[in-house]
Amino acid sequence: DMAFLSIYINETYLKPGSIKEIRERFEEESSVQLRHFFNKKWETTISVLLKEEDTKCNLGRDRSALDYSVGVSNDWIPVGPSHKQRFLEYIGKADKDGSSCGSLIKYLKE
């Protein structure tokens, strides 16, 4: 339902022409990169929460993003081999009020 999706997703991606173009590009290239996927409200909220998480980890101060343990906690676990592609998976609880970036994104995903 487009009305529901518009609560979270940038309206550009909800237009029939955009949906068709995204589908065609995905079929051709097997992947797509959607910049500014969330609408402004959610993009801002997620950005603020991400910066808070980075600050908690001292990322950019005395810790490098290349440090394999950056961001790892009881709620965030590393996934993927460190020599190829590493990312963190949030395994904590979902929270629509956004107590953390992970909890908010998990809420949106569910």
Side-chain angles (χ1 to χ4, degrees):
D1 179 54
M2 294 299 185
F4 174 76
L5 292 175
S6 68
I7 296 170
Y8 307 103
I9 298 173
N10 184 329
E11 65 184 37
T12 300
Y13 294 117
L14 300 176
K15 296 177 183 174
S18 294
I19 294 170
K20 181 181 178 200
E21 184 180 331
I22 292 166
R23 184 182 64 246
E24 288 171 354
R25 181 161 299 180
F26 184 78
E27 288 172 357
E28 292 172 11
E29 300 177 17
S30 300
S31 68
V32 292
Q33 183 175 1
L34 304 176
R35 296 189 58 188
H36 306 288
F37 178 72
F38 291 108
N39 64 28
K40 281 288 185 195
K41 175 189 172 194
W42 287 103
E43 182 177 329
T44 300
T45 302
I46 291 168
S47 179
V48 166
L49 291 171
L50 279 172
K51 288 177 185 173
E52 287 176 9
E53 296 281 344
D54 288 350
T55 300
K56 288 178 192 174
C57 294
N58 288 321
L59 190 61
R61 293 186 182 155
D62 61 347
R63 286 184 88 180
S64 166
L66 298 177
D67 180 344
Y68 192 74
S69 64
V70 167
V72 176
S73 69
N74 290 334
D75 291 333
W76 292 94
I77 60 170
V79 178
S82 59
H83 67 286
K84 287 190 175 185
Q85 181 180 14
R86 176 213 187 254
F87 58 93
L88 297 177
E89 177 182 2
Y90 183 77
I91 59 169
K93 295 184 179 188
D95 179 11
K96 70 177 182 176
D97 296 324
S99 60
S100 75
C101 184
S103 65
L104 180 61
I105 291 174
K106 186 168 186 175
Y107 167 77
L108 293 173
K109 184 178 175 185
E110 291 178 348

